Amino acid sequence: MTAAFGTLVNNTDAPVTVTSGTSPLSPTIELHEVVEDGGKMVMRPKQGGFVVPARGTHQLQPGGDHIMLMGVTEEVKPGARIPFTLQVQGGEPLEFTAIGKDFAGGEEDYQPGHK
């Protein structure tokens, strides 16, 4: 699995809610947040999606909101071009291309049986 980070920009006069996403790189994409739960930071699906305020931005970053790609079909190497489509509540899908970057994150291991 891997994650996508960046800045969502809304140039309209109304808030925009991103509700889901797709990419040929991954069969499953979830919108995630990182929150404190019982004194620990946990990652979980973001209920209601990402709200980008009118004429504003919404940051996607490590340790915060992000787009999570599960079961990626190939390694993401620096410079790779990854197409995405984001579904917006009540609106047309938004397409963009993300550029792969070298980022080790917390070097987490998500293999079954590991904590």
Side-chain angles (χ1 to χ4, degrees):
M1 71 179 68
T2 192
F5 310 113
T7 304
L8 301 174
V9 178
N10 178 2
N11 293 320
T12 72
D13 292 324
V16 171
T17 301
V18 177
T19 58
S20 63
T22 60
S23 173
L25 182 66
S26 172
T28 304
I29 291 183
E30 295 180 359
L31 307 180
H32 278 191
E33 64 182 347
V34 176
V35 298
E36 186 178 341
D37 183 15
K40 295 172 53 176
M41 299 305 288
V42 297
M43 179 177 61
R44 67 181 185 198
K46 175 91 173 190
Q47 297 300 317
F50 303 142
V51 178
V52 187
R55 303 272 170 210
T57 62
H58 185 85
Q59 192 69 34
L60 303 178
Q61 60 191 3
D65 289 352
H66 57 278
I67 300 171
M68 198 74 201
L69 297 90
M70 274 80 109
V72 293
T73 57
E74 61 188 73
E75 179 183 357
V76 178
K77 295 184 179 181
R81 299 179 60 81
I82 301 109
F84 281 86
T85 301
L86 297 181
Q87 184 58 51
V88 176
Q89 187 175 25
E92 295 293 318
L94 302 172
E95 295 182 358
F96 69 96
T97 300
I99 306 300
K101 296 191 176 184
D102 188 20
F103 178 74
E107 297 183 12
E108 298 92 348
D109 186 349
Y110 296 104
Q111 299 302 316
H114 289 90
K115 295 186 180 189

